[in-house]
Amino acid sequence: SSGVPAVVQRLARKAQHPIFPAMAEFKTLVARLDEAEQFLERASAPAPAASPYAPLDALDAAVSALEELTPRVGVFEKRALEKDPDKKVYGPKMAERVLAVAGRLADAAEAADELSDSLAPLRRQRSGERRAEQQREEEEAQAAA
């Protein structure tokens, strides 16, 4: 034999098993979903006086995170829903965890849609202010020329 203990050889083989990188990715996805949910909480909180558009920024960050998460969580969900015992990748506990995360993602996406609707007037107000500011800058530049 190679002089490497059998337990080390088994661990090395296990580390190359496809489930291990997937588990690391799953944990990263869960952490990113936690962040998205925190952004949604901030987006639904009253805006601080010093930063009236903070809810929009938080909503935009949440939507960006959710768009990034959706395709990857979909892959995990498809694996978790696999019916063919020969093709099953996850045990029952992991499948349950994956489906719970997929449910949280769906809830977060729904909350983001609702917040987007309720924050639409604030978004229009910010757009109007930005347009007015650009127009002032253009007029000042023309006056200076």
Side-chain angles (χ1 to χ4, degrees):
S1 106
S2 63
V4 177
V7 67
V8 173
Q9 290 176 349
R10 272 198 314 277
L11 287 173
R13 278 195 304 277
K14 221 175 186 182
Q16 292 166 359
H17 192 276
I19 201 90
F20 281 91
M23 279 303 299
E25 181 185 7
F26 184 71
K27 287 178 182 174
T28 303
L29 293 175
V30 171
R32 190 78 172 114
L33 180 56
D34 291 341
E35 283 177 18
E37 289 170 336
Q38 289 168 5
F39 283 128
L40 288 171
E41 280 180 34
R42 280 188 236 144
S44 60
S51 182
Y53 299 119
L56 288 177
D57 296 335
L59 176 61
D60 291 345
V63 167
S64 174
L66 294 172
E67 287 172 351
E68 175 189 316
L69 286 168
T70 300
R72 290 306 302 153
V73 171
V75 170
F76 279 86
E77 185 179 23
K78 184 179 174 194
R79 290 179 193 153
L81 293 170
E82 179 60 58
K83 299 289 183 218
D84 183 340
D86 294 333
K87 293 182 181 176
K88 278 192 182 215
V89 178
Y90 307 132
K93 282 185 182 177
M94 183 62 189
E96 194 176 300
R97 286 174 57 200
V98 167
L99 296 176
V101 167
R104 282 176 55 199
L105 179 64
D107 291 346
E110 192 175 310
D113 285 345
E114 290 170 9
L115 276 169
S116 187
D117 291 345
S118 66
L119 292 176
L122 186 62
R123 192 173 298 280
R124 284 193 296 273
Q125 179 184 336
R126 180 166 71 176
S127 294
E129 284 181 13
R130 285 181 174 166
R131 277 195 302 276
E133 192 175 318
Q134 285 174 333
Q135 194 172 353
R136 272 195 308 278
E137 288 171 1
E138 289 169 12
E139 288 169 1
E140 288 171 7
Q142 287 174 353

